[in-house]
Amino acid sequence: MKLWLVRHARPLIDAGVCYGALDVPADDVATRAAAAQLAISLPQTRFLSTSPLQRCEQLTQYLRGLRADLIPNVDNRLAEMNFGTWEGRRWDAIGQTALAAWTDDFAQHPPGGGESVRAFMARVEAAMVQTATNMAVEIAADIATGIETEAIWITHAGVIRAATLIAGGVRQIERADQWPVNGPAWGETVVLDL
């Protein structure tokens, strides 16, 4: 079973601004270009889930226009991490004291009063478990076809980082230096084995 994780196109927000759960649109031209590439490379599946945030919804809708076989399901668990009162603020304006409070207790401290990394990873893991369960049911029903069952998520860099950790056996992290620094580029796909 494979899980295709697709990051939305570049959002229309200034660089250096915290925008986890902030519902901002993506660049329309970049979204259309990403959808055109994805329409060719993504597998056929009945399991397409998308974040409810509009930058993912845009990509999903353009992709749907090119691939009628992909029928999306909105899954709130695929939304980016919520940074509470930090949303929409420049990272350099948040302040060293607030950032240090988060990094000093990275797993449990909710940045800006939003969502802790521990809660975020639990949310992503719950979505992964449900996706794998749904795929296993389909495999059992379609065992004679020999076709590999695959799922697609249209989501965010943080969700993709968390899912990659979880798929690698890391269900929780305690320190900020354990969080992956590099994530997928805008419109990029990461494929995980479940």
Side-chain angles (χ1 to χ4, degrees), residues 1 47 129-143 149:
M1 297 185 294
F47 302 109
V129 167
Q130 182 177 358
T131 297
T133 301
N134 291 346
M135 290 167 58
V137 169
E138 180 169 305
I139 289 170
D142 294 341
I143 197 86
T149 300

Side-chain angles (χ1 to χ4, degrees), residues 73-121:
N73 168 56
V74 175
D75 188 336
N76 292 334
R77 296 171 300 186
L78 304 187
E80 184 60 281
M81 186 170 162
N82 185 330
F83 291 92
T85 60
W86 294 3
E87 298 282 347
R89 294 177 60 195
R90 293 194 53 79
W91 283 102
D92 58 11
I94 290 170
Q96 285 301 99
T97 303
L99 289 170
W102 180 33
T103 57
D104 289 348
D105 187 13
F106 193 67
Q108 297 185 72
H109 182 80
E115 180 177 29
S116 71
V117 171
R118 179 163 287 155
F120 176 64
M121 287 189 69

Side-chain angles (χ1 to χ4, degrees), residues 135-189:
M135 290 167 58
V137 169
E138 180 169 305
I139 289 170
D142 294 341
I143 197 86
T145 65
I147 298 171
E148 183 170 17
T149 300
E150 301 177 78
I152 303 165
W153 288 1
I154 308 293
T155 190
H156 309 270
V159 172
I160 295 170
R161 287 179 175 117
T164 301
L165 285 169
I166 294 163
V170 179
R171 296 180 61 218
Q172 289 296 332
I173 59 173
E174 299 299 324
R175 300 182 325 270
D177 65 346
Q178 295 173 306
W179 189 253
V181 175
N182 296 319
W186 312 118
E188 188 175 273
T189 301

